[in-house]
């Protein structure tokens, strides 16, 4: 990006804005690393301080220039090691329940369109690519299927300007995956995995690639990909967040499912059980709020397949506390409903106050109703049906003889 600004003076200036100072540090770092590692630079300011503060300023006055605003937005929407965007952005809910993101950031969209219209020479290729990435990422976060073609067009134009940027390949793969075009998504994920330099980012791409291969029934390739991801997990687990660890656990459940669908042998059964137990132990270490944020559909599929091999191993969920989600050997059932399971008295009290009291009363009422319906009046027989008639005859003759003699 060609700007007539001395970045060193901005960094040293005492009255300079924090956002501009952070942008200057980033540009200086990019000059020092004039290679493919330019996009590995992480920025300090948050999305609210840079973009949303610029939107809240009065009409006609901008806190940042168009190029600086689009550069910061691009770094926060796309250029992240997880390739999913590194920040939450604002959105408005429409009456039909869909999200509206584009109307929240009119200045950002106006800046992107202005850069795309006015740019003419090759020196502004980076700014044009950033503008296309921002427009496509906002449409992707909006999730409107009517904007799919516009989103695809903007990502493809950005890719022509930056063909070696793995993050654009990964974003296009996410776009095609949401559109149920799994084979196209796999092609772009494979290209992204070959272009990426960061080992941690490659670990994330391997998980996504393994899931896509499993969905396409290419089990051998999926197993090799996911096994490598599990090996890399041991190296990076100290650097991962709790949510990233949760996604790694989901990948291990996919590995269990893929082993079970590939072939049935004693060796594969052992691998399925080991991966299942490891995944369950990792899942139990996650905090409850993270567990509620992640989709566990792959876990349910893996649990059904493990139950065919060893039902006792698959029944770990029956020993999972309904409050803290920890699997324990000693469990306590609710005395009223008999359905809820807890690991301690403290968890039982917390769940009771949190709302199990209402659920428990409903379960108890339905159980009482079922018992009343199951009660059928039966007339008692006058003679015991299971009494042997020979013994009855012998006892009768003995009593008759006693009476005669007596």
């Amino acid at each position: 990006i060609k700007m007539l600004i001395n970045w060193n003076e901005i960094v040293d200036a005492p009255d300079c804005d924090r956002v501009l100072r952070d942008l200057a540090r980033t540009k200086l770092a990019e000059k020092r690393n004039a290679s493919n590692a330019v996009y590995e630079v992480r920025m300090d300011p948050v999305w609210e301080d840079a973009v949303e503060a610029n939107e809240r300023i009065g009409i006609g006055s901008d806190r940042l220039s168009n190029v600086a605003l689009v550069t910061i937005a691009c770094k926060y929407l796309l250029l992240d090691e997880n390739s999913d965007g590194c920040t939450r952005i604002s959105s408005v809910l429409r009456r039909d329940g869909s999200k509206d993101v584009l109307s929240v950031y009119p200045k950002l969209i106006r800046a992107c369109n202005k850069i795309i219209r006015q740019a003419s020479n090759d020196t502004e290729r980076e700014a044009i690519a950033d503008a296309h990435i921002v427009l496509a990422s906002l449409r992707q976060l909006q999730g409107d299927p009517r904007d799919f073609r516009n989103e695809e067009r903007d990502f493809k134009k950005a890719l022509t300007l930056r063909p070696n940027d793995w993050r654009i390949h990964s974003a296009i793969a996410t776009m095609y995956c949401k559109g149920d075009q799994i084979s196209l998504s796999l092609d772009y994920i494979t290209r992204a995995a070959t272009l990426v330099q960061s080992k941690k980012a490659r670990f994330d791409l391997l998980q996504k690639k393994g899931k896509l291969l499993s969905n396409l029934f290419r089990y051998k390739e999926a197993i090799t990909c996911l096994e490598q991801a599990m090996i890399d997990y041991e190296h990076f687990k100290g650097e991962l967040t709790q949510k990233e660890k949760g996604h790694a656990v989901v990948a291990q459940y996919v590995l269990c499912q893929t082993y079970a669908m590939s072939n049935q042998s004693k060796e594969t059964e052992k691998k399925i059980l080991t991966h299942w137990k490891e995944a369950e132990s990792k899942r139990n270490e996650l905090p409850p709020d993270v567990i509620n944020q992640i989709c566990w559909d792959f876990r349910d599929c893996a649990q059904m397949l493990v139950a065919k091999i060893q039902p006792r191993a698959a029944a770990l969920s029956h020993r999972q506390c309904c409050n803290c989600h920890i699997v324990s050997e000693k469990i306590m059932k609710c005395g009223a409903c008999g359905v809820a399971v807890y690991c301690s008295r403290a968890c039982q009290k917390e769940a009771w106050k949190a709302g199990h009291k209402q659920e428990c009363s409903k379960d108890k009422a339905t159980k009482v109703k079922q018992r009343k319906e199951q009660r059928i009046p039966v007339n008692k027989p006058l003679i015991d049906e299971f009494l042997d008639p020979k013994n009855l005859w012998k006892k009768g003759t003995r009593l008759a003889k006693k009476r005669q003699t007596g």
Side-chain angles (χ1 to χ4, degrees), residues 61-279:
S61 59
D62 292 330
R63 185 180 180 183
L64 297 171
S65 64
N66 289 334
V67 177
L69 179 64
V70 171
T71 303
I72 293 171
C74 179
K75 284 185 180 293
Y76 273 88
L77 286 172
L78 176 77
L79 303 182
D80 179 54
E81 286 191 352
N82 298 321
S83 71
D84 291 332
C86 58
T87 186
R88 294 179 181 177
I89 68 170
S90 301
S91 62
V92 177
L93 283 175
R94 298 194 186 105
R95 289 184 179 179
D96 58 353
S98 59
K99 286 196 300 184
D100 186 8
V101 175
L102 300 176
S103 64
V104 181
Y105 302 101
K107 288 187 180 180
L108 180 59
I109 294 166
R110 192 164 57 246
C112 291
N113 292 325
K114 194 173 182 180
I115 289 169
I116 292 167
R117 282 197 307 269
Q118 293 180 355
S120 57
N121 50 6
D122 293 336
T123 56
E124 298 173 343
R125 286 168 63 91
E126 295 294 321
I128 301 169
D130 285 343
H132 282 298
I133 287 166
V134 168
L135 289 174
S137 300
L138 288 174
R139 288 193 176 98
Q140 191 177 77
L141 291 167
Q142 184 160 311
D144 193 350
R146 293 172 292 183
D147 287 338
F148 180 78
R149 294 300 174 192
N150 295 326
E151 180 186 343
E152 185 181 19
R153 181 199 62 201
D154 284 321
F155 271 133
K156 291 287 182 68
K157 286 183 178 179
L159 191 63
T160 55
L161 296 169
R162 287 186 195 163
N164 295 325
D165 194 346
W166 66 271
R167 294 177 176 88
I168 302 176
H169 287 281
S170 180
I172 294 172
T174 305
M175 176 189 68
Y176 281 128
C177 187
K178 289 180 179 179
D180 293 331
Q181 300 182 26
I182 306 298
S183 57
L184 283 172
S185 179
L186 180 62
D187 293 339
Y188 280 97
I189 279 285
T190 307
R191 291 176 201 169
T194 55
L195 292 170
V196 68
Q197 300 292 327
S198 173
K199 292 181 180 179
K200 185 181 175 184
R202 190 182 289 112
F203 160 70
D204 183 62
L205 292 173
L206 279 175
Q207 296 180 62
K208 294 178 180 178
K209 185 180 177 182
K211 292 174 186 177
L212 293 172
L213 287 167
S214 180
N215 286 329
L216 291 171
F217 308 107
R218 294 162 64 175
Y219 296 128
K220 288 184 179 179
E221 298 173 59
I223 285 169
T224 54
C225 195
L226 291 170
E227 284 283 3
Q228 184 61 42
M230 292 303 106
I231 293 168
D232 294 340
Y233 174 80
E234 298 298 326
H235 298 287
F236 297 113
K237 63 182 180 181
E239 303 174 17
L240 300 175
T241 61
Q242 294 293 335
K243 196 169 183 180
E244 289 170 349
K245 288 179 181 179
H247 289 303
V249 173
V250 172
Q252 197 160 12
Y253 286 126
V254 176
L255 183 58
C256 292
Q257 182 183 343
T258 310
Y259 267 123
M261 298 293 288
S262 60
N263 58 354
Q264 291 292 333
S265 62
K266 290 184 178 180
E267 293 182 0
T268 54
E269 286 180 2
K270 287 181 181 177
K271 289 179 180 178
I272 291 165
L273 291 173
T274 52
H275 281 296
W276 169 260
K277 289 175 182 177
E278 286 178 7

